[in-house]
Amino acid sequence: MTNTFGAALSVPWPSHELTSSYFSFYTIPFALMNIHFLYRYWSVAQPTRLELFSRPQFVALISLYPITQGVSWFFIAFSMRTDSAEISVQEVKAVCLDSFNVSIDEGWLLMDNWRNGQLNVWVVQIILIMIVIMFGSFSVATWLVASTYQDILKATTLSPKHRTIQYTLLAAVCAQTFVPVVCVYIPYFLAIVCPFLSIPMFGVALHFLALLSIFPAWDALVIIVMIKDYRIGLARAVGLRKKEKVQLLNLNTQFTSAVIST
């Protein structure tokens, strides 16, 4: 008896390379957010290090972090390459056709966890690698956020206005990170783990591609809502706020000065 749990990502592309690329590109924003968290942490705890971000060598070095993560996800996804003739593909294609009335022949990436009562050890290894990468990135982000918040609280050289600005910027980055967590990381995690454990995905499978599609727009919207200057700019762009008039001083205005002798 066949017992198949498939976590699949498919798009109507005739290439496993393109499907793997599509899969990996959505994991890069979270790595970029960690770099932003590092910048926020240094801006409070070690401001002198911010100068490194203007050095091409450092930018090239730190760019390796999101690039390495994206490439890792690509090869992990590509390792799940599945031939269209395999029985697991036929099973998932039938479900896809029944649920969405869509027939996709190529580009499937499937995790055939169990087959005829046999555990697919290679799939288990892939799942463990994915979980390590996801929780590793999330742990780094959590540590940087907590450390930045604590340093803002303990900072004695920050003015009240500067402290408020730091809180606002940290909150904005946290909110911006919340978007890929909800739209990418949680759906990825459920799609990977739930079929393996034979537990329901709570409707995520039906909205998986929709969540991925709305991610870029919501990511930008969060920043516009959180940052005042962006909100004002958007309001002016759509005509909801008039441009402020700049009043010039009358050239005939008399100025007086006082000299204090010591």
Side-chain angles (χ1 to χ4, degrees):
M1 180 177 178
T2 299
N3 188 8
T4 303
F5 304 108
L9 171 67
S10 66
V11 291
W13 289 333
S15 170
H16 290 85
E17 290 82 358
L18 288 177
T19 308
S20 301
S21 298
Y22 178 88
F23 186 81
S24 63
F25 284 155
Y26 276 93
T27 66
I28 294 178
F30 201 91
L32 294 175
M33 286 298 99
N34 280 352
I35 295 178
H36 198 167
F37 280 130
L38 176 63
Y39 186 92
R40 295 261 54 86
Y41 173 65
W42 279 356
S43 68
V44 177
Q46 302 177 21
T48 56
R49 291 193 175 184
L50 295 182
E51 188 266 339
L52 292 173
F53 282 92
S54 63
R55 297 183 182 179
Q57 300 90 337
F58 179 77
V59 173
L61 178 62
I62 204 168
S63 297
L64 292 177
Y65 172 56
I67 292 174
T68 301
Q69 189 164 132
V71 170
S72 299
W73 277 100
F74 172 84
F75 283 109
I76 290 172
F78 189 75
S79 68
M80 296 187 293
R81 178 170 182 164
T82 311
D83 293 332
S84 58
E86 292 191 21
I87 187 172
S88 57
V89 176
Q90 303 306 317
E91 293 172 345
V92 177
K93 284 173 63 177
V95 173
C96 181
L97 182 62
D98 181 62
S99 301
F100 306 105
N101 196 28
V102 174
S103 180
I104 302 175
D105 295 323
E106 300 291 340
W108 283 97
L109 304 177
L110 292 180
M111 288 184 173
D112 196 3
N113 303 313
W114 297 85
R115 176 67 55 178
N116 297 322
Q118 296 295 319
L119 176 65
N120 190 333
V121 178
W122 172 241
V123 169
V124 175
Q125 294 174 346
I126 292 176
I127 291 174
L128 291 176
I129 293 172
M130 288 179 169
I131 291 176
V132 168
I133 293 176
M134 286 191 286
F135 277 91
S137 296
F138 190 76
S139 298
V140 170
T142 302
W143 181 84
L144 288 171
V145 171
S147 299
T148 304
Y149 181 76
Q150 289 296 326
D151 282 328
I152 294 175
L153 287 178
K154 295 185 297 184
T156 58
T157 58
L158 293 178
S159 66
K161 183 177 181 180
H162 192 195
R163 193 185 303 273
T164 301
I165 291 175
Q166 290 292 344
Y167 279 133
T168 301
L169 292 174
L170 181 61
V173 181
C174 290
Q176 192 178 15
T177 305
F178 183 74
V179 177
V181 169
V182 172
C183 294
V184 180
Y185 262 51
I186 291 178
Y188 272 23
F189 180 80
L190 294 178
I192 293 168
V193 175
C194 290
F196 179 75
L197 298 178
S198 190
I199 59 178
M201 292 179 60
F202 310 103
V204 172
L206 298 176
H207 307 289
F208 188 86
L209 292 180
L211 287 170
L212 295 184
S213 299
I214 66 174
F215 156 59
W218 278 102
D219 189 52
L221 183 61
V222 166
I223 292 300
I224 292 174
V225 171
M226 294 293 296
I227 304 299
K228 181 179 178 181
D229 290 342
Y230 291 153
R231 292 199 306 269
I232 294 174
L234 178 62
R236 289 175 179 171
V238 299
L240 297 178
R241 185 185 179 112
K242 295 181 180 180
K243 292 184 178 180
E244 297 178 359
K245 295 182 179 180
V246 178
Q247 295 182 349
L248 298 177
L249 289 174
N250 191 322
L251 294 178
N252 294 324
T253 301
Q254 298 294 323
F255 293 93
T256 61
S257 61
V259 178
I260 302 176
S261 59
T262 57

